[in-house]
Structure formats: structure tokens, C-alpha cells
């Protein structure tokens, strides 16, 4: 039998499905959950059922774990896709569970992508979970704290799954090649390229290997080898996994922000490149950097905001990938700049006071008087023009509403340019203090 005939016979079902483990002995990854003695391991081995949420990235084994639990506990397994299903499918699942319950058979209702269900659909499960009609297992790639109703969440234990490690993925490749593709040569170097590319996603790894094997078969060559050119064709033709708008997206932007705040230019560059490599819009990164320039640096180095705005404009004009170098320049500058959140804190405090004192009127001496009536009403009277005062500062003058005490929102830090700003503000405060002291009469 030729290699092509043999492979076409084998490839009748996706390899990821053919290799789906039915027991823990052939499960790769999730050692923190499935090692002996761990609660989930013991629950699976003993067939002890409880409702749960399996939260983790794609290709980490959520569906497989649910199926293993059902198999081990001899339970009826009813899968529902929240992408395709609705209330009708939920009712059908309830009816099936109620029917077999009469015979003492337990049921697991497995909802894939449970975060896609709305509140009403999630609530539909509650009474049947509570009365034991079935056990609920939900799988999600999104943070269940935000995407799953509290009522349902409180009735299910959450297990957090992790992306598979390189060693787990390499072991999975060994298993796939020895059990499915024994006649295909797959060098360690090229295997590592596949492992790096899939970013911990076992299902994606197997799908890409299957595609590579198909290309080997179609090439018609005697050497049944996944070559470098085939690897390039497979990997470059695929899109890196990127959780745009999801949990991992916000985790990565948080890591970038905190690395800059922590003054680590190297880590900051790494996280920016991770996001770009995953397909993040560079303009989004640019907007976030502009925010960081004000929030975490502020007046400690006002040039940070200007440079970041310039970098955003460069990205706008040049596009990718040329414009991204300007973003890298901004990232390293922001990370290395002196840090101050004094403006950010002052702004928040002033916002709070503004909401609480929004009815306070502008003092008369600060009002403009463009008309005769306004002048007659005293608008602008006794206003002290700062440029006519010594050092261009009207010592002792008040600018807050008359019924509001004087506030000091802005507290410069002892870093960068704010050292100088702090010195000036302290000197002006001393002038205000001296101006408020009563003058002694002449002897």
C-alpha cells in the first residue's frame, strides 16, 4: 500500500478527535489539577460528581475532562454548544435527564463556551442543578467572575486550566507520531517550531501536524518527511492564537502597563511584542501608552506625553511594521522615565469634589465682566492681575468657591521635574501664609 493510500485511509476523522484521551493515563497537561491526590483527580477516579466550571485557554482539555468524568461515573453525557444552542436545547437536555433519572442514571450537561449564554439562559439551569436533575459542567475561555451569573457560579466549583507546557506538547507529538503517523519523519527542531507556534494549545498542535502530514502525502515524494518548507507553509498560513477582547488580552495589556510602571524597559518591550505578534492593533497600544504617560509619569517628565503622542502619529503615518519602532521607542522611554502619579491622584480627588460641590458658584472677583451690567454687579471687582504682582504671583489670593475650603490636590513627588515643581509650590504656599498674617501697626 502506498503512503498516500495509507494516509487517506487513516485521515477519515480529525486526529485531535481520534487521539482524545478517555482516561487520565493518556491526558497531557493540567498536572496541578490531575496529579494524584488533587481534588479533581480524585473526583474523576472515584466517579464522584459535582457541578463545575472549567476555565482555561483553547486546547487545554476542558471538553476531554468533562467526557472523562461522565465515562468514569457512568453518567449520561449531554453536550450543548452555547454558540449554537438556545432554550429549546436546554429543555431537551432537561427532559432527557429527567427520563433516565427514573432509572437511577445520572446526567452531566456539558455547556461549551458557557459565557456565550445570556443571563436568562444561564438561569434556566439553576432549578435543575439544585434539585439534582443533572450535574452542570461549563467550559469557558473567559473569566467566569465576569461572564457567569453569580447564582450559577455559587453552585459550581471553578477549576482553572493552564496552557500546556512545551514538554507536555512534545510528549503529545511523540504520542501522535507513534500511534498515527509512524511512517512520517518529524525532526526535533521542526517539532519545537510547531510547539512554540501553538502557544500551549494541544488541539491546534494536532490540527497543524495533520495538515503538515497531508502536505507530505500530497507532495508524492518518497521521503515521508515534514520538511522545513512544509513547516513554514503550515505555520505561516495560520494565524497565531490571540484572545482579542478576552481575558488574556487584558492580562497582557495589564502586564505591559505594570512593566512600564515598574520601570522595566525590557519586560515592557516583551509584552508589547507579544501583543503585536498576536495580532493586536498597534493603534490600541499607542492609545494605552498615551494614557500611561499621564497616569504614571505626568509632570515628573512632561516630555513623555509629547514623545508618546509623536510615536502614535508615526504609527498612523507609516503603518506596520515601520511605525512599531516608534512605539518601541515610546515604551522604553516611558519605562525609563521618573514615575509620578501625582497628577492622576489630584485629578481623581478634584473630580470627587467637583461632583459634591457642583452648585458652588464662581466667586465674584473671578468672573469676567464684558458688559456694563456685569460691572455694576461687581463682576471682576478686586481681582488681582497676577502679572502685576511681585514674581507674577498674587500671594494670599483665593480661587476656590467662597463656601469651599482651600484644597491641595496636587502633591508632586520627589522625582524628576516634580522636584522643582514641588519646591516652587512650597515657596508659593509660604508667600500665601505670610500674606494672610495680620500686619503689625507702626510704633
Amino acid at each position: 500500500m502506498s503512503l498516500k493510500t495509507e494516509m487517506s485511509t487513516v485521515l477519515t476523522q480529525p486526529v485531535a478527535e481520534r487521539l482524545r484521551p478517555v482516561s487520565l493515563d493518556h491526558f497531557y497537561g493540567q498536572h496541578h489539577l490531575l496529579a494524584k491526590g488533587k481534588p479533581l483527580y480524585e473526583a474523576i477516579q472515584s466517579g464522584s460528581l459535582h457541578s463545575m466550571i472549567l476555565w482555561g485557554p483553547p486546547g487545554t482539555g476542558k471538553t476531554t475532562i468533562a467526557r472523562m468524568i461522565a465515562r468514569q461515573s457512568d453518567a449520561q453525557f449531554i453536550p450543548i454548544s452555547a454558540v449554537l444552542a438556545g432554550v429549546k436545547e436546554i429543555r431537551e437536555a432537561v427532559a432527557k435527564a429527567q427520563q433516565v433519572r427514573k432509572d437511577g442514571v445520572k446526567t452531566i450537561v456539558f455547556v461549551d463556551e458557557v459565557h456565550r449564554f445570556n443571563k436568562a439562559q444561564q438561569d434556566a439551569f439553576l432549578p435543575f442543578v439544585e434539585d439534582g436533575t443533572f450535574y452542570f459542567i461549563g467550559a469557558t475561555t473567559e473569566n467566569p467572575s465576569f461572564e457567569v451569573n453569580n447564582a450559577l457560579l455559587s453552585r459550581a466549583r471553578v477549576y482553572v486550566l493552564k496552557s500546556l507546557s512545551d514538554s507536555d506538547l512534545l510528549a503529545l507529538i511523540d504520542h501522535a507520531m507513534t500511534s498515527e503517523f509512524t511512517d512520517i519523519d518529524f525532526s526535533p527542531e521542526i517539532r519545537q517550531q510547531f510547539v512554540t507556534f501553538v502557544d500551549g494549545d494541544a488541539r491546534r498542535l494536532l490540527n497543524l501536524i495533520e495538515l503538515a502530514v497531508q502536505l507530505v502525502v500530497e507532495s508524492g515524494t518518497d521521503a515521508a518527511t515534514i520538511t522545513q518548507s512544509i513547516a513554514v507553509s503550515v505555520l505561516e498560513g495560520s494565524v497565531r492564537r490571540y484572545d482579542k477582547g478576552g481575558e488574556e488580552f487584558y492580562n497582557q495589556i495589564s502586564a505591559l502597563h505594570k512593566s512600564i510602571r515598574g520601570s522595566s524597559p525590557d519586560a515592557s518591550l516583551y509584552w508589547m511584542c507579544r501583543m503585536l505578534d498576536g495580532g493586536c492593533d498597534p493603534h490600541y497600544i499607542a492609545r494605552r501608552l498615551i494614557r500611561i504617560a499621564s497616569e504614571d509619569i505626568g509632570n515628573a517628565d512632561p516630555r513623555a506625553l509629547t514623545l508618546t503622542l509623536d510615536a502614535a502619529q508615526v504609527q498612523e503615518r507609516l503603518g506596520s511594521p515601520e511605525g512599531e519602532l516608534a512605539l518601541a521607542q515610546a515604551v522604553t522611554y516611558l519605562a525609563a522615565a521618573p514615575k509620578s502619579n501625582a497628577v492622576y491622584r489630584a485629578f481623581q480627588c478634584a473630580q470627587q469634589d467637583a461632583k459634591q460641590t457642583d452648585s458652588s458658584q464662581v466667586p465674584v472677583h473671578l468672573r469676567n465682566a464684558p458688559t456694563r451690567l456685569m460691572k455694576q454687579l461687581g463682576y471682576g471687582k478686586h481681582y488681582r492681575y497676577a502679572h502685576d504682582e511681585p514674581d507674577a504671583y498674587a500671594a494670599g489670593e483665593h480661587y476656590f468657591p467662597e463656601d469651599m475650603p482651600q484644597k491641595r490636590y496636587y502633591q508632586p513627588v520627589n522625582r524628576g521635574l516634580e522636584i522643582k515643581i514641588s519646591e516652587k509650590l512650597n515657596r508659593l504656599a509660604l508667600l500665601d501664609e505670610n500674606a494672610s498674617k495680620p500686619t503689625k501697626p507702626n510704633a
Side-chain angles (χ1 to χ4, degrees), residues 357-371:
T357 61
D358 54 356
S359 61
S360 299
Q361 296 192 359
V362 175
V364 174
H365 72 283
L366 296 182
R367 301 180 189 182
N368 197 21
T371 69

Side-chain angles (χ1 to χ4, degrees), residues 51 101 123-136 150-152 154-156:
S51 293
R101 190 183 185 190
D123 284 344
F125 291 102
L126 289 176
F128 305 105
V129 173
E130 289 179 337
D131 69 10
T133 299
F134 55 74
Y135 294 91
F136 172 84
N150 287 334
L152 186 58
S154 67
R155 291 162 176 79

Side-chain angles (χ1 to χ4, degrees), residues 43-44 46-49 68-76 106 108:
I44 294 175
S46 64
S48 176
L49 291 177
M68 283 195 297
I69 292 173
R71 181 185 180 90
Q72 195 69 21
S73 58
D74 295 322
Q76 175 183 222
K106 294 175 287 189
I108 290 176

Side-chain angles (χ1 to χ4, degrees), residues 178 203 361:
T178 55
R203 180 174 58 249
Q361 296 192 359

